[in-house]
Amino acid sequence: PPDGPDARAADPDAGLRLREGLDRVWPTLSPTERQLVELRLLGHSTAEAAAEMGVAANALRVQLSRLRTRLREQGALDGWL
């Protein structure tokens, strides 16, 4: 999984938690979800990520919302995506 450079720079503990959370959930993500996570960690907005992925922004927003819900339920990566 990718690293989150902004999170690590702001708070080393937050960066470690992000990395641990990514390591835990990465295997459960679909290829599309992985690409979305990578683009978001690189600082892309949802609209930018949608354009990069060649999908409609509204469809990606729905997918991102569902992913956030799933990650919150797993207790992983809350608040960064």
Side-chain angles (χ1 to χ4, degrees):
D3 287 325
D6 292 338
R8 283 196 321 269
D11 177 1
D13 289 335
L16 179 59
R17 287 189 304 274
L18 174 62
R19 182 64 192 197
E20 288 172 349
L22 278 173
D23 287 346
R24 190 170 60 247
V25 301
W26 196 256
T28 70
L29 300 179
S30 71
T32 300
E33 290 170 333
R34 288 178 181 180
Q35 185 179 13
L36 174 57
V37 168
E38 288 174 346
L39 291 170
R40 295 290 291 173
L41 286 173
L42 291 171
H44 292 271
S45 69
T46 304
E48 292 167 338
E52 177 78 21
M53 296 170 71
V55 298
N58 285 339
L60 196 61
R61 282 186 186 92
V62 170
Q63 186 170 7
L64 181 57
S65 176
R66 290 177 181 157
L67 177 58
R68 285 177 175 143
T69 299
R70 195 171 91 222
L71 294 177
R72 265 194 299 275
E73 288 170 354
Q74 293 176 1
L77 310 179
D78 192 27
W80 65 271
L81 192 59

